[in-house]
Amino acid sequence: MKLPAHELVYRKIRDKVLFGDLSPGQAVTIQGLAEEIGVSMTPVREAIRRLTAAGALEFMGNRRVTVPQMDENSFAELVFAREAVEPQLARQACMRVNSQVISQLRAIDQEVNQAIEAGDVPEYMYQNYRFHFMLYRHADSAILEPMAQTLWLRYGPLYRIICGKWGTANMVDLHAETVSALEKGDAEATAKAILLDVQQGFEIIRNSFQWS
Amino acid sequence: MKLPAHELVYRKIRDKVLFGDLSPGQAVTIQGLAEEIGVSMTPVREAIRRLTAAGALEFMGNRRVTVPQMDENSFAELVFAREAVEPQLARQACMRVNSQVISQLRAIDQEVNQAIEAGDVPEYMYQNYRFHFMLYRHADSAILEPMAQTLWLRYGPLYRIICGKWGTANMVDLHAETVSALEKGDAEATAKAILLDVQQGFEIIRNSFQWS
DNA sequence: GCCCTCATAATATGATCAGATTCTCGGAGG
DNA sequence: CCTCCGAGAATCTGATCATATTATGAGGGC
């Protein structure tokens, strides 16, 4: 079970983006990352290529690689895409999950709530991610699930800024709705619950972010 | 205007996938491609990483890289995603195109028609691609347009099989509808025209493909 | 005399390669 | 049917070359 170095590097950098360790506009260098992680440049280069292909990173000019800045247009597109993709994933997942998965989801939801109460932003973001993709994984989807992944990669850095500014105080947890829809096996209700979750997350950002 | 080798390699392989030079299930090796193109393995490795991240290629086990096979589920998701993304791109593009772009599109549409009449499948696929992405480029989209790219990468090999089997005989050209909607500046009509185009393409595949 | 500008040098970073090493697959032999 | 090689492919490194960015300093204008 030994994963290749480029895969480990990829996951490490991806998580940095996903959970907001890197903020929009921040530049990274291949050599810098190579030194930091303790590998040669080649595996880092490959990880960077994958991440730029996924939109998690962006080439600026011909030398610098940065976390993409998001403007109002891109933000609107991100909303549009997540609202299209994620409810559909939830719909498909609902038809496939068993009761064991549902209890796992409920357990993760507990973690989310605890993180909110504790005001632990990184933990909240991590557990929230876990909840969504634990669900989406069971959609058994080769197309939509990777799309959702790339959308979250764009969403992460932005969301991190908001959470850092406001804390977890005004985070409302809409996962209970989702879990109860799953228990009933109601695919449409599940899709609707996820749609609301997505919309609510974006409301928070929209209201508390001034687009320079 | 000298592009790096890994970029050239990426484009070369991407076009192979996009226009069906590689068929689903076909395996490629890094060394093989490196030798074929005449570069070292490193740039090829980077190109492969990008393409796998985009879903154009797929790791089978830990050794072989192949063009993904598509089953009925994935196909349905591909339909769903294209129907969501591409009309929206068309909608946004409609609000930004000028008359010069419209004439370019009309010119490309001529090429498409000629390719259909000539029964030239590769040319048809190439010009059809050009038409769509010439339009989408003007949507000025950082999120949706790359998504459409990856969807076409999955669509290409499949479409190529169909075209190879039936020729261009039953290809209906719905681009004229799109162009005329653009001329009127009617964003909704443009979106609808593209939606029909997408649906019609999928009808052909759905009807003429038995899912083993 | 001071500050700005532009050319040039120094440094950092990226791109590519060839080779050493590790790993996987497939077949031969038990 | 399982285990153990061997061929070939992939991975990773360090070196080398190319190029972008930054630092430096001379010259000219205010």
Side-chain angles (χ1 to χ4, degrees), chain B residues 4-6 40 42-43 63:
Chain B
H6 64 84
S40 159
T42 311
R63 199 56 166 215

Short mmCIF file of all heavy atoms in Angstrom, two decimals, chain B residues 4-6 40 42-43 63, chain C residues 15-18 23-25:
data_model
loop_
_atom_site.label_atom_id
_atom_site.label_comp_id
_atom_site.label_asym_id
_atom_site.label_seq_id
_atom_site.Cartn_x
_atom_site.Cartn_y
_atom_site.Cartn_z
N PRO B 4 6.60 25.37 -24.23
CA PRO B 4 7.37 24.28 -23.66
C PRO B 4 6.92 22.93 -24.20
O PRO B 4 5.77 22.77 -24.63
CB PRO B 4 7.10 24.39 -22.15
CG PRO B 4 5.97 25.33 -22.00
CD PRO B 4 5.87 26.15 -23.24
N ALA B 5 7.82 21.97 -24.13
CA ALA B 5 7.56 20.65 -24.71
C ALA B 5 6.36 19.98 -24.05
O ALA B 5 5.53 19.38 -24.74
CB ALA B 5 8.80 19.78 -24.57
N HIS B 6 6.26 20.12 -22.73
CA HIS B 6 5.16 19.42 -22.07
C HIS B 6 3.81 19.95 -22.53
O HIS B 6 2.83 19.20 -22.61
CB HIS B 6 5.30 19.51 -20.56
CG HIS B 6 5.19 20.89 -20.00
ND1 HIS B 6 3.98 21.47 -19.74
CD2 HIS B 6 6.13 21.80 -19.69
CE1 HIS B 6 4.19 22.70 -19.26
NE2 HIS B 6 5.48 22.93 -19.23
N SER B 40 11.82 13.36 -24.21
CA SER B 40 12.11 12.50 -23.08
C SER B 40 10.81 12.14 -22.37
O SER B 40 9.73 12.61 -22.68
CB SER B 40 13.07 13.21 -22.14
OG SER B 40 13.01 12.68 -20.86
N THR B 42 9.91 12.79 -19.29
CA THR B 42 9.41 13.76 -18.31
C THR B 42 8.25 14.62 -18.82
O THR B 42 7.21 14.69 -18.17
CB THR B 42 10.56 14.64 -17.79
OG1 THR B 42 11.63 13.80 -17.41
CG2 THR B 42 10.12 15.49 -16.63
N PRO B 43 8.39 15.27 -19.97
CA PRO B 43 7.26 16.09 -20.44
C PRO B 43 6.02 15.25 -20.72
O PRO B 43 4.89 15.72 -20.50
CB PRO B 43 7.77 16.72 -21.73
CG PRO B 43 9.20 16.41 -21.84
CD PRO B 43 9.56 15.38 -20.85
N ARG B 63 -0.29 0.80 -13.59
CA ARG B 63 0.68 0.63 -14.66
C ARG B 63 0.23 1.20 -15.99
O ARG B 63 0.90 1.98 -16.62
CB ARG B 63 0.95 -0.88 -14.83
CG ARG B 63 2.21 -1.17 -15.56
CD ARG B 63 3.34 -0.51 -14.86
NE ARG B 63 4.63 -1.00 -15.30
CZ ARG B 63 5.66 -1.13 -14.50
NH1 ARG B 63 5.56 -0.84 -13.24
NH2 ARG B 63 6.81 -1.55 -14.96
P DA C 15 8.20 25.02 -16.21
OP1 DA C 15 7.18 25.41 -17.19
OP2 DA C 15 7.88 24.07 -15.12
"O5'" DA C 15 9.45 24.47 -17.02
"C5'" DA C 15 9.90 25.18 -18.15
"C4'" DA C 15 10.81 24.31 -19.00
"O4'" DA C 15 12.05 24.10 -18.29
"C3'" DA C 15 10.26 22.92 -19.32
"O3'" DA C 15 10.46 22.67 -20.70
"C2'" DA C 15 11.07 21.98 -18.42
"C1'" DA C 15 12.37 22.73 -18.21
N9 DA C 15 12.98 22.55 -16.90
C8 DA C 15 12.38 22.63 -15.68
N7 DA C 15 13.20 22.44 -14.67
C5 DA C 15 14.43 22.23 -15.27
C6 DA C 15 15.71 21.98 -14.74
N6 DA C 15 15.97 21.89 -13.43
N1 DA C 15 16.72 21.82 -15.61
C2 DA C 15 16.46 21.89 -16.93
N3 DA C 15 15.30 22.13 -17.54
C4 DA C 15 14.31 22.29 -16.64
P DT C 16 9.86 21.35 -21.37
OP1 DT C 16 9.55 21.67 -22.78
OP2 DT C 16 8.82 20.77 -20.49
"O5'" DT C 16 11.12 20.39 -21.37
"C5'" DT C 16 12.30 20.80 -22.04
"C4'" DT C 16 13.43 19.87 -21.68
"O4'" DT C 16 13.77 20.02 -20.28
"C3'" DT C 16 13.14 18.37 -21.85
"O3'" DT C 16 13.82 17.93 -23.02
"C2'" DT C 16 13.70 17.72 -20.59
"C1'" DT C 16 14.43 18.84 -19.88
N1 DT C 16 14.39 18.81 -18.38
C2 DT C 16 15.57 18.66 -17.69
O2 DT C 16 16.65 18.55 -18.23
N3 DT C 16 15.44 18.65 -16.33
C4 DT C 16 14.26 18.77 -15.60
O4 DT C 16 14.28 18.74 -14.39
C5 DT C 16 13.07 18.92 -16.40
C7 DT C 16 11.74 19.05 -15.72
C6 DT C 16 13.18 18.93 -17.73
P DC C 17 13.60 16.44 -23.56
OP1 DC C 17 13.76 16.45 -25.03
OP2 DC C 17 12.41 15.84 -22.94
"O5'" DC C 17 14.90 15.74 -22.92
"C5'" DC C 17 16.15 16.41 -23.01
"C4'" DC C 17 17.17 15.70 -22.14
"O4'" DC C 17 16.94 16.02 -20.75
"C3'" DC C 17 17.16 14.18 -22.25
"O3'" DC C 17 18.42 13.72 -22.70
"C2'" DC C 17 16.83 13.68 -20.84
"C1'" DC C 17 17.22 14.87 -19.96
N1 DC C 17 16.41 14.99 -18.71
C2 DC C 17 17.06 15.01 -17.46
O2 DC C 17 18.28 14.90 -17.42
N3 DC C 17 16.32 15.14 -16.34
C4 DC C 17 14.99 15.25 -16.43
N4 DC C 17 14.30 15.39 -15.30
C5 DC C 17 14.31 15.24 -17.68
C6 DC C 17 15.06 15.11 -18.80
P DA C 18 18.52 12.31 -23.45
OP1 DA C 18 19.31 12.51 -24.68
OP2 DA C 18 17.20 11.67 -23.51
"O5'" DA C 18 19.42 11.47 -22.43
"C5'" DA C 18 20.58 12.10 -21.88
"C4'" DA C 18 21.06 11.33 -20.66
"O4'" DA C 18 20.21 11.65 -19.52
"C3'" DA C 18 21.01 9.81 -20.81
"O3'" DA C 18 22.20 9.27 -20.24
"C2'" DA C 18 19.76 9.40 -20.05
"C1'" DA C 18 19.70 10.46 -18.95
N9 DA C 18 18.36 10.77 -18.45
C8 DA C 18 17.21 10.85 -19.17
N7 DA C 18 16.16 11.16 -18.44
C5 DA C 18 16.66 11.30 -17.16
C6 DA C 18 16.06 11.62 -15.93
N6 DA C 18 14.75 11.88 -15.80
N1 DA C 18 16.86 11.66 -14.84
C2 DA C 18 18.15 11.40 -14.97
N3 DA C 18 18.84 11.09 -16.07
C4 DA C 18 18.02 11.05 -17.14
P DC C 23 9.49 -0.37 -4.45
OP1 DC C 23 8.75 0.38 -3.41
OP2 DC C 23 10.28 -1.57 -4.09
"O5'" DC C 23 8.47 -0.76 -5.59
"C5'" DC C 23 7.81 0.28 -6.32
"C4'" DC C 23 7.19 -0.31 -7.57
"O4'" DC C 23 8.24 -0.69 -8.48
"C3'" DC C 23 6.36 -1.55 -7.31
"O3'" DC C 23 5.02 -1.26 -7.66
"C2'" DC C 23 6.99 -2.63 -8.20
"C1'" DC C 23 7.80 -1.82 -9.21
N1 DC C 23 9.03 -2.49 -9.73
C2 DC C 23 9.15 -2.71 -11.11
O2 DC C 23 8.24 -2.35 -11.86
N3 DC C 23 10.28 -3.31 -11.58
C4 DC C 23 11.25 -3.68 -10.74
N4 DC C 23 12.33 -4.26 -11.26
C5 DC C 23 11.14 -3.45 -9.34
C6 DC C 23 10.03 -2.86 -8.87
P DT C 24 3.84 -2.28 -7.31
OP1 DT C 24 2.70 -1.49 -6.81
OP2 DT C 24 4.41 -3.38 -6.50
"O5'" DT C 24 3.44 -2.86 -8.72
"C5'" DT C 24 3.33 -1.96 -9.84
"C4'" DT C 24 3.19 -2.75 -11.12
"O4'" DT C 24 4.49 -3.22 -11.56
"C3'" DT C 24 2.28 -3.97 -11.01
"O3'" DT C 24 1.33 -3.92 -12.04
"C2'" DT C 24 3.25 -5.16 -11.15
"C1'" DT C 24 4.39 -4.57 -11.96
N1 DT C 24 5.73 -5.18 -11.71
C2 DT C 24 6.49 -5.58 -12.79
O2 DT C 24 6.11 -5.48 -13.94
N3 DT C 24 7.72 -6.12 -12.45
C4 DT C 24 8.24 -6.28 -11.19
O4 DT C 24 9.35 -6.77 -11.02
C5 DT C 24 7.40 -5.83 -10.11
C7 DT C 24 7.87 -5.97 -8.70
C6 DT C 24 6.20 -5.31 -10.42
P DC C 25 0.09 -4.90 -12.08
OP1 DC C 25 -1.12 -4.11 -12.38
OP2 DC C 25 0.14 -5.76 -10.88
"O5'" DC C 25 0.43 -5.77 -13.36
"C5'" DC C 25 0.88 -5.11 -14.54
"C4'" DC C 25 1.49 -6.12 -15.50
"O4'" DC C 25 2.78 -6.54 -15.02
"C3'" DC C 25 0.65 -7.38 -15.69
"O3'" DC C 25 0.51 -7.64 -17.08
"C2'" DC C 25 1.44 -8.46 -14.95
"C1'" DC C 25 2.88 -7.95 -15.06
N1 DC C 25 3.77 -8.35 -13.94
C2 DC C 25 5.09 -8.76 -14.20
O2 DC C 25 5.48 -8.80 -15.38
N3 DC C 25 5.89 -9.10 -13.17
C4 DC C 25 5.43 -9.04 -11.92
N4 DC C 25 6.28 -9.39 -10.93
C5 DC C 25 4.10 -8.62 -11.63
C6 DC C 25 3.31 -8.29 -12.65
#
